[in-house]
Amino acid sequence: MKRIFISVFAATLCIAAWSQPRYDMSKVMRERLDRGVVALRQTDGSAVVTWRTLTSDAKNEPFDIYRNGTKLNDRPLATGGTFFIDRDVPAGDVTYEIRGGGKNGTYTLKTGAPAGYLPIKLDKPEGGITPDGRSFTYSANDASVGDVDGDGQYEIILKWEPSNAHDNSHDGFTGPVLFDCYRLDGERLWRINMGPNIRAGAHYTQFMVYDFDGDGRAEIMVKTADGTVDGLGKVIGDAKADWRYGIAEAMANFETNRATAIKEAEERSRRMEQQRKDMGGQRRQADNRQGQWKRRPGQQPNRGGGERRGNRYQWPGIMSKSGRILDGPEYLTVFNGLTGEAMATVDYLPERGELRAWGDDRGNRSERYLAAVGYLDGRRASGIFCRGYYTRTVIAAWDWDGKELKNRWIFDTNDERWRSYAGQGNHNIRVADVDGDGCDEITYGSMAVDHDGTGLYNTGMGHGDAMHLTVFDPSSDRLQLWDCHENRRDGSDLRDAATGEVIFQIKSGIDVGRCMAADIDPTNPGLEMWSSDSKGIRTIKGDVLKPLSQRGGGRPDDGALQSKTSKRSKTNKNNEANRESSDTDNTALYVRGMRLPTNFGVWWDGDLLREMLDRATVSKYDWTTGKVYPIAKFDGCQFNNGTKSNPCVSADILGDWREEVVTRTEDSSELRIYVSPISTDYRINCLMEDIPYRLSVAAQNVAYNQPAWTGFYLGPDSTAVEFLK
């Protein structure tokens, strides 16, 4: 496999937070992580062993590694990465032990363990049938991590999503959302059923996994409703209540609707098979002139066979609001992370109220939720639960002390003081101490809210899909934010995260739906940035480092973005395997004809540059040639959320500072935790001990999934200083 090495320097560093956040680490209640030893077999018969460097360790802490009680290193491992390759792995189970730093750790590598990843067998739930007669199945979707039992090791909290999950702009019934908790050895601890009154979709079920009360064990905080069943089988609210719109009509016509659904499914299957034969698997393409789908002979007017009414579809006998939850009580619940028990339930704030007050009468804009975690008092983590971002915007902060769930404050754009903040929200959220007061602030798209619930600033640039908050400039200690906007005016901008002051802006007349930031070029100081209309890879000063183009058929142009729809390469077998990915991607950018993703970042290959993670592939930008090429592919795996193409979760969960990629198999029978098999010369403390990074992981899977970011600059320009000592 081709590798690119950084020639700027190759010294071993202990990299640290030289950044704006000013947390008092003697007061902040943090997780108590163990040594994080993990071993993975490789295809050549060797084994890779990694472990964590912790903030409690001394600089250049010496470690010794043992295999079945026999020491493997001749001298203490005091420099270089916490990474070891054992090339003489004996047969049978092998136990590795790391000694050092006053906190030892062990891991047993089992006989027959797969090469390259840790498997977690899943208890896949059975599918079902919705009230309108349509069948659904389940697939593993978003995940988060938390130490639910206080042993220093993360468990995985996994969301199961039904195949009929809908974005809020669509009607239709969905199957219930489920949550499982798994240990890394595959043991399932509990299952929570969110019930019929929590709709499945990207914008509904934002779940926060964190140690909110500081007892060393993580809880789960999430919006619930009547009929939610906790991990012990107890029902929240009214077990018989069903607030789904059109439920009576659907049940009354169930048999008719079921027969129709079966017939439509058979016809759809027959039609798809015929299309594969006749057209080589090509899918329908958009008519750019009218924005309507082109139909092939025999193709139904919509995916569900409903009747076209205006610019919406209706299910037979059911109004276009069918399946939406437009009424009924709403709750916020704290669950015990170890047992799944509901420990406290309160009314969700704000209440839904009049739908039109949010912008429509269909429960679209009123049902847009975001959530996060933040140290609003500089000591204990609070849950942050939000409603709305297109129009009215409400943010509510909650504290859990182990006994009571209390509201800390509410920020509401209906308050006269904050009316100008309405409509500024993003599809995701960022939390960090941006102003250096030791308490976290909330960046909510084009606006920010202070730790006390008052407005911090508002740029007025409006809604967007993505944003990235970290230290971009290695010569500065200030957090900055790279943001994009969908108003066909403001394009994308880099701004000061504390003041909202714009450093540079790239105006655009199109919907700039995606943007990405990463340090991908060691010859240019700081991070690089690009978006779907940045017209190039940008430096921290806004200069074009490398022109970009959208693929429009032939070779890319000289930097002016084309509006033509790009199509997935037929030669990319990994993309072909990802059936949930769309053939149309208007945000695909290209350098010298190679796709430059605007999705996820991942520290993977051992140098200090960040790689790109998209469509089950890790890609590297070669700054010497201006090309992008894959360096790792997760064969047999499926990324989530359609064109979003996200892993279940990606973070520094195990071992050294590189980020693991957690994804599902195509049949959702197991999760796979991929660990980088590439050695690293750099010793960096576990990124999960950096508060902005840990908070970023907690909120990673909110609405439109985003990569985690550190509260300090991490890149080849890093200064060798202490990290969080």
Side-chain angles (χ1 to χ4, degrees), residues 257 298 390 701:
N257 292 336
Y390 287 127
N701 296 319

Side-chain angles (χ1 to χ4, degrees), residues 3 136 214 232 235 360 560 579 611:
R3 296 231 0 236
F136 65 88
L232 301 183
V235 179
D360 61 56
R579 297 181 179 90
E611 287 68 56

Side-chain angles (χ1 to χ4, degrees), residues 434-447:
V434 301
D435 58 7
D437 62 0
C439 303
D440 283 321
E441 285 72 43
I442 302 159
T443 302
Y444 204 83
S446 295
M447 71 180 207

Side-chain angles (χ1 to χ4, degrees), residues 208-407:
M208 291 296 108
V209 181
Y210 214 85
D211 179 14
F212 291 102
D213 58 4
D215 66 352
R217 299 184 296 273
E219 296 83 33
I220 296 91
M221 197 178 293
V222 64
K223 182 177 182 287
T224 57
D226 287 338
T228 296
V229 183
D230 75 2
L232 301 183
K234 297 188 298 184
V235 179
I236 295 172
D238 185 350
K240 298 181 180 180
D242 194 329
W243 297 98
R244 291 174 292 181
Y245 196 89
I247 183 65
E249 295 90 337
M251 296 302 294
N253 297 285
F254 177 80
E255 293 299 332
T256 300
N257 292 336
R258 178 61 178 158
T260 301
I262 293 173
K263 190 177 293 184
E264 289 172 352
E266 292 173 349
E267 173 61 20
R268 187 163 51 250
S269 183
R270 185 202 64 77
R271 190 171 59 251
M272 290 178 64
E273 180 61 29
Q274 188 62 44
Q275 289 172 0
R276 281 193 289 268
K277 292 179 180 179
D278 295 345
M279 307 186 69
Q282 294 182 7
R283 299 178 181 177
R284 59 190 181 183
Q285 300 180 11
D287 186 328
N288 293 325
R289 294 176 299 171
Q290 301 182 8
Q292 303 293 328
W293 291 113
K294 292 181 177 180
R295 298 178 189 166
R296 297 195 182 99
Q299 183 174 335
Q300 298 297 314
N302 67 80
R303 59 181 171 79
E307 182 183 355
R308 182 84 180 185
R309 301 211 177 160
N311 56 7
R312 296 199 299 271
Y313 293 103
Q314 289 185 292
W315 299 109
I318 306 174
M319 297 180 66
S320 63
K321 298 177 182 177
S322 66
R324 301 176 188 268
I325 294 90
L326 307 177
D327 205 349
E330 303 171 283
Y331 312 121
L332 182 68
T333 299
V334 178
F335 294 92
N336 185 298
L338 183 60
T339 66
E341 178 185 12
M343 297 186 291
T345 297
V346 299
D347 291 336
Y348 191 88
L349 297 177
E351 62 182 11
R352 184 181 291 111
E354 174 62 35
L355 294 181
R356 288 193 176 276
W358 299 94
D360 61 56
D361 64 350
R362 296 178 292 113
N364 180 12
R365 296 189 171 185
S366 66
E367 308 305 297
R368 300 279 176 158
Y369 301 100
L370 297 176
V373 177
Y375 291 91
L376 303 178
D377 63 359
R379 179 174 176 269
R380 179 178 291 167
S382 298
I384 300 163
F385 285 80
C386 320
R387 186 177 217 140
Y389 39 74
Y390 287 127
T391 51
R392 182 188 176 190
T393 297
V394 184
I395 305 171
W398 296 88
D399 295 333
W400 168 248
D401 63 3
K403 297 180 180 180
E404 293 183 278
L405 185 58
K406 296 180 179 180
N407 179 237

Side-chain angles (χ1 to χ4, degrees), residues 120 149 151 155 181-189 338:
I120 299 177
D149 56 6
D151 65 353
E155 282 72 45
C181 180
Y182 292 91
R183 297 190 190 276
L184 297 184
D185 63 4
E187 179 187 2
R188 197 191 79 180
L189 299 180
L338 183 60

Side-chain angles (χ1 to χ4, degrees), residues 110-178:
K110 298 291 186 180
T111 303
Y117 63 88
L118 303 180
I120 299 177
K121 296 297 182 182
L122 298 177
D123 184 6
K124 184 176 179 179
E126 294 290 330
I129 302 174
T130 57
D132 59 350
R134 284 162 168 79
S135 301
F136 65 88
T137 57
Y138 280 100
S139 60
N141 192 250
D142 293 334
S144 189
V145 297
D147 181 6
V148 304
D149 56 6
D151 65 353
Q153 186 178 82
Y154 287 120
E155 282 72 45
I156 293 179
I157 290 79
L158 173 68
K159 181 178 76 171
W160 288 99
E161 185 171 78
S163 56
N164 55 5
H166 294 298
D167 186 90
N168 302 56
S169 60
H170 300 281
D171 65 347
F173 292 92
T174 73
V177 176
L178 309 175

